[in-house]
Amino acid sequence: GFGIFGSVSGSSAATCATISKVALPELMRRGYNESLALGSLATAGTLGILIPPSITMVVYAVASDVSIIRLFLAGFLPGLLLMILFSGYIAWWSYKHSDQVPPAEAPITFIEKLYQSRRLIPCALLVIMICWVIVAGYATATESAAYGVFGSLILAMSTRSLTFRNFWEGLLATSKTSCMIMFILAGAAFLTKTMAFTGIPAALAQQVAAMQLSPLGLIAILTLVYLLLGTALDGISMIVLTSAVVL
């Protein structure tokens, strides 16, 4: 569920906030262990930033001048791997602590599963279509975003959940987010030029080279740096502030 919604929203924060509001009360009502429920929701929420199409990937591609399509393709395998690992651990933990999980529900037929997923399957197909038109070269990332909006409107109308009020609220939210990201990117461009003028990236690169770190050692240090930055900054801010130096 997190993987599919993460690909729909493109944001880890939105994924975690939205799914948690729906899933956590239901998990508690069914009697699941609170630590397991909270841990699985918090960790699986990170899939929104990794599984394409991802807002953060688009920002990184712009800030680093790399191919958005290649970034999207690079996110599929680790995203799928994380989904398998998360699901596998939950299954293993539940098997080891069977007294802390509710009994399994009665099995249902494949047709019943399809019927219960009737509103989830179109969303998954929409995500696949968006990624496919980009990879196949039929559309750019901007054009595929338009396809995604058009498909979302059709799905909302077909389920009778589209009203003028939520349509207007969606337009306002999109405008606010787009303006925020554009201001961040403008500041990042200015910061990059300033960094290049001062020579800070070159000096840092020389210091790192003098440390004679292995690739894995450098990745480990960068991981610690981003863990510390993540306590105070969101993902997009970290990308635009550090990409000039790290790259």
Side-chain angles (χ1 to χ4, degrees), residues 94-137:
S94 301
Y95 176 76
K96 288 292 186 179
H97 305 83
S98 57
D99 58 321
Q100 300 186 43
V101 294
E105 296 182 352
I108 59 178
T109 63
F110 180 73
I111 300 299
E112 291 175 327
K113 292 179 180 179
L114 288 179
Y115 178 77
Q116 294 181 5
S117 305
R118 63 190 182 279
R119 294 192 177 183
L120 183 62
I121 294 175
C123 293
L125 294 177
L126 178 61
V127 173
I128 294 174
M129 186 272 292
I130 293 173
C131 295
W132 177 75
V133 296
I134 296 178
V135 175

Side-chain angles (χ1 to χ4, degrees), residues 29-142:
R29 185 186 68 82
R30 291 173 179 242
Y32 281 92
N33 179 271
E34 183 178 9
S35 298
L36 178 66
L38 291 174
S40 60
L41 293 176
T43 52
T46 59
L47 294 171
I49 202 175
L50 185 60
I51 299 179
S54 167
I55 297 174
T56 308
M57 283 187 179
V58 174
V59 175
Y60 177 80
V62 174
S64 307
D65 193 24
V66 298
S67 169
I68 296 178
I69 297 177
R70 294 185 65 184
L71 274 181
F72 280 1
L73 290 175
F76 279 111
L77 184 58
L80 179 61
L81 179 61
L82 277 178
M83 289 172 61
I84 295 174
L85 290 174
F86 288 157
S87 301
Y89 175 78
I90 293 173
W92 174 84
W93 190 94
S94 301
Y95 176 76
K96 288 292 186 179
H97 305 83
S98 57
D99 58 321
Q100 300 186 43
V101 294
E105 296 182 352
I108 59 178
T109 63
F110 180 73
I111 300 299
E112 291 175 327
K113 292 179 180 179
L114 288 179
Y115 178 77
Q116 294 181 5
S117 305
R118 63 190 182 279
R119 294 192 177 183
L120 183 62
I121 294 175
C123 293
L125 294 177
L126 178 61
V127 173
I128 294 174
M129 186 272 292
I130 293 173
C131 295
W132 177 75
V133 296
I134 296 178
V135 175
Y138 292 119
T140 64
T142 304

Side-chain angles (χ1 to χ4, degrees), residues 119 122-123 126 148-163 166-167:
R119 294 192 177 183
C123 293
L126 178 61
V149 172
F150 182 69
S152 299
L153 289 175
I154 293 178
L155 291 179
M157 287 187 294
S158 65
T159 57
R160 298 181 180 180
S161 59
L162 180 63
T163 63
N166 60 31
F167 177 72

